[in-house]
Amino acid sequence: METNSIRISNLQRSELPVLWKNLNSNELNTLIKRSNSKEISLLIGHTNEQGLTYLFSIFESENINKIFDSLSKNELNKIFVLLSKKELSRISKTLNEKTLIKVLASASQTQRDRLLSSFPIDEKKAILEVIDEEIDLDKNYKKYLGEKFENSLEREAFQRIIELEEKEIFLERQQQVRKDQYVEQLENMRSQIAHAEKEYAFQT
């Protein structure tokens, strides 16, 4: 097999389930980089649990994001079902902000909990609040499109407004999380200083 020119779409369907066994990690990463969404869906759809676990353990962060951007809701469900909670948690740490929000928005509550299991409680709460707002915005978006926005330019403009609003909401939540963490750290430092001063006064 000439790995430098291989394309998923050119392979026999019978080759896809064992492709992860026949290529090394560098070759598999290179393959994903030159694959389109349809090819990625084909590969994921024909790979079993063992194969998926291996692939996501060797895929580079860039490729993991590309894969999760490419998959449909049903294909994402397959990954949620077959991969372990530990593996899903690790993957969620590699997803960029936009992809993570997209994946979580299409996942069930149980799936979200598995993906965010290793996140700090405050950060997890902030992300879930963004997801709830994302879902509400999406519902409103579809409603407005059906009722008012038939013109394609209006539709594109409205979509851009939604994207900017989502970005602003996410940044505000992240800023609040960092602010809360800073306040907590400051209080801990003050407590430590007060304790040290008491010990010093007692010793003298």
Side-chain angles (χ1 to χ4, degrees):
M1 183 185 295
E2 179 54 55
T3 57
N4 291 330
S5 59
I6 183 176
R7 296 287 307 224
I8 294 173
S9 55
N10 294 333
L11 296 174
Q12 297 293 325
R13 294 295 181 267
S14 59
E15 296 179 272
L16 296 178
V18 294
L19 188 62
W20 62 278
K21 296 181 180 180
N22 296 329
L23 300 179
N24 63 40
S25 59
N26 288 333
E27 291 169 338
L28 286 165
N29 272 289
T30 300
L31 177 64
I32 293 298
K33 287 178 181 178
R34 62 168 173 259
S35 296
N36 57 39
S37 297
K38 184 177 180 180
E39 290 172 318
I40 290 173
S41 295
L42 277 174
L43 178 62
I44 297 301
H46 285 80
T47 305
N48 62 18
E49 179 179 356
Q50 184 182 4
L52 288 176
T53 300
Y54 172 75
L55 289 175
F56 282 105
S57 71
I58 59 94
F59 277 151
E60 299 169 359
S61 176
E62 176 187 353
N63 282 335
I64 291 177
N65 277 277
K66 182 176 181 178
I67 290 169
F68 275 80
D69 272 332
S70 300
L71 299 181
S72 67
K73 184 174 182 178
N74 287 338
E75 291 160 345
L76 287 173
N77 283 337
K78 176 182 178 179
I79 291 177
F80 291 141
V81 170
L82 295 184
L83 295 187
S84 68
K85 180 179 179 179
K86 180 179 179 181
E87 187 66 13
L88 286 172
S89 178
R90 184 191 66 79
I91 289 172
S92 68
K93 293 289 189 180
T94 70
L95 297 178
N96 60 48
E97 170 194 319
K98 181 179 179 181
T99 303
L100 178 61
I101 295 299
K102 171 194 170 186
V103 171
L104 291 172
S106 65
S108 67
Q109 185 61 55
T110 301
Q111 292 166 345
R112 291 176 199 165
D113 289 340
R114 295 182 71 196
L115 282 167
L116 297 176
S117 61
S118 64
F119 280 67
I121 294 176
D122 288 344
E123 187 174 352
K124 178 180 177 180
K125 181 180 178 182
I127 292 174
L128 289 175
E129 287 177 354
V130 173
I131 299 305
D132 289 338
E133 290 167 351
E134 166 86 6
I135 292 173
D136 289 339
L137 285 170
D138 186 59
K139 289 179 180 177
N140 290 332
Y141 175 57
K142 290 178 179 177
K143 178 176 181 290
Y144 289 141
L145 282 182
E147 293 178 356
K148 298 180 179 180
F149 293 92
E150 297 298 329
N151 183 280
S152 61
L153 290 177
E154 291 177 333
R155 183 175 303 183
E156 291 175 8
F158 184 75
Q159 185 173 9
R160 180 57 179 160
I161 291 171
I162 293 296
E163 290 173 355
L164 291 173
E165 289 179 345
E166 292 170 358
K167 178 71 173 179
E168 182 179 2
I169 290 169
F170 185 88
L171 291 176
E172 287 177 352
R173 298 294 184 189
Q174 290 295 90
Q175 184 178 15
Q176 185 61 47
V177 169
R178 286 194 292 268
K179 181 179 178 181
D180 292 343
Q181 291 173 342
Y182 174 76
V183 171
E184 183 178 353
Q185 291 171 0
L186 186 60
E187 289 299 320
N188 288 336
M189 290 177 63
R190 287 174 176 168
S191 177
Q192 292 172 7
I193 291 172
H195 180 71
E197 288 176 343
K198 287 181 180 179
E199 287 189 345
Y200 178 75
F202 179 78
Q203 293 173 359
T204 56

